[in-house]
Amino acid sequence: MNAPTSSLSFLPASPVPASPASPAASGAIALYARHTEGFEERVQATLDQLRQAALEHPGSIVQATSLGAEDMVLTDLIARAGLPIAVGTLQTGRLHAETLALIPAIEQRYGLAVELYSPPEEQVVHFVRRHGEDAMYQSIELRKACCQIRKLEPLGRMLAGRQAWVTGLRREQSANRGAVPLREVEANGRVKYNPLADWTWNDIWHYIATHDVPYNALHDQFMPSIGCAPCTRAIAVGEEFRAGRWWWEDEKAKECGLHVAQPTSAAAGRSSEAVAA
């Protein structure tokens, strides 16, 4: 069945303050927001794919949002079009206050309930007692073990029983993501949609500026990719998009496991890949 196409509808003015979109504005909008050729077509194609995904997986699809700029764009598109796509996020226990502030902002702005998935408390307590609060700095193995508890396990519960999910992955984000498809079928049969795969960073911020989309204030502090607080820093001029993530590690190790294929024998409900980290 083909999804209908239509232009975006406009929501009422947001009661949640968003960053100014004027040419004189400072921060991420001033730095990155640029209209480029084909922008409107990319927006429409993304909306069409989201509509089709919702039609194909009624009541069984979720946007797994990292609350980053890309995912805020997707949430805005979903809300504007009134699509029956749930919105969920991982409350890892180590997120910045600025990131957490977006949860009530989404609920107030769009009238959407954000599903929250936290790691099992007993696993976190055991891990911290054994390895310390900042075990991620000790070795890649411990950092990935922390990600397993705080991200992978909760994501498995978010996706359990669902046929499809939506992420904000883009090909431009890193070399590892350079071949991200718009749609893929995972080993367990779940469909993963990456409708922003061919968007640029300029596209993301032009959309945010145009539609007054709330975004993480840390983006204004030169943090294009934001994860847990201990694992995120600002980047310098000339550094790659994800240079501020796990900066003490080798470049090839810079994934939390959410975007790395998992064995098919993994616990029920665990995805083979996951939300933009």
Side-chain angles (χ1 to χ4, degrees):
M1 181 176 181
N2 293 326
T5 59
S6 66
S7 299
L8 294 176
S9 60
F10 286 86
L11 295 170
S14 170
V16 180
S19 297
S22 68
S26 61
I29 287 178
L31 282 172
Y32 307 121
R34 302 288 185 276
H35 180 275
T36 57
E37 185 177 357
F39 171 77
E40 288 78 13
E41 289 77 9
R42 287 188 289 277
V43 172
Q44 189 61 55
T46 296
L47 180 60
D48 290 346
Q49 185 182 30
L50 288 170
R51 286 185 182 279
Q52 186 66 36
L55 283 172
E56 292 179 358
H57 309 283
S60 190
I61 183 170
V62 62
Q63 180 206 354
T65 177
S66 69
L67 302 171
E70 291 92 344
D71 282 306
M72 294 304 296
V73 167
L74 285 173
T75 299
D76 189 85
L77 284 164
I78 288 167
R80 285 176 182 275
L83 299 178
I85 298 176
V87 177
T89 195
L90 309 180
Q91 212 306 30
T92 69
R94 300 300 302 271
L95 299 178
H96 299 85
E98 293 88 343
T99 302
L100 292 172
L102 284 167
I103 296 170
I106 289 170
E107 295 181 334
Q108 293 172 35
R109 171 72 180 267
Y110 303 114
L112 298 175
V114 180
E115 299 178 4
L116 300 180
Y117 294 87
S118 301
E121 184 177 0
E122 65 279 6
Q123 291 187 27
V124 173
V125 170
H126 177 76
F127 182 84
V128 171
R129 282 178 178 170
R130 184 174 181 184
H131 302 291
E133 284 281 352
D134 296 325
M136 67 286 297
Y137 302 132
Q138 298 176 35
S139 69
I140 291 177
E141 290 72 25
L142 283 177
R143 194 270 292 169
K144 290 186 175 181
C146 185
C147 290
Q148 168 67 41
I149 294 171
R150 295 181 184 274
K151 292 184 175 183
L152 282 154
E153 194 281 339
L155 181 79
R157 283 184 277 115
M158 182 194 297
L159 299 182
R162 282 177 160 139
Q163 300 171 358
W165 59 307
V166 181
T167 86
L169 289 180
R170 294 184 302 110
R171 296 171 191 144
E172 191 185 61
Q173 287 170 336
S174 70
N176 289 338
R177 299 178 181 183
V180 168
L182 291 169
R183 180 185 184 278
E184 56 190 305
V185 180
E186 300 176 317
N188 57 13
R190 185 179 293 116
V191 181
K192 178 182 179 184
Y193 295 93
N194 309 302
L196 301 179
D198 58 357
W199 284 43
T200 67
W201 193 227
N202 296 135
D203 289 337
I204 296 297
W205 286 98
H206 182 64
Y207 185 96
I208 287 172
T210 301
H211 297 289
D212 194 30
V213 178
Y215 67 85
N216 195 323
L218 294 175
H219 288 309
D220 290 332
Q221 300 177 34
F222 306 102
M223 294 186 186
S225 178
I226 302 168
C228 291
C231 301
T232 305
R233 67 160 172 80
I235 64 172
V237 175
E239 284 193 298
E240 295 184 355
F241 186 88
R242 286 170 61 81
R245 303 295 299 281
W246 309 296
W247 62 91
W248 62 92
E249 295 182 355
D250 178 84
E251 184 65 30
K252 294 180 181 179
K254 289 190 175 184
E255 291 287 352
C256 62
L258 294 174
H259 292 291
V260 178
Q262 301 294 322
T264 55
S265 60
R270 181 180 301 167
S271 167
S272 67
E273 295 185 312
V275 59

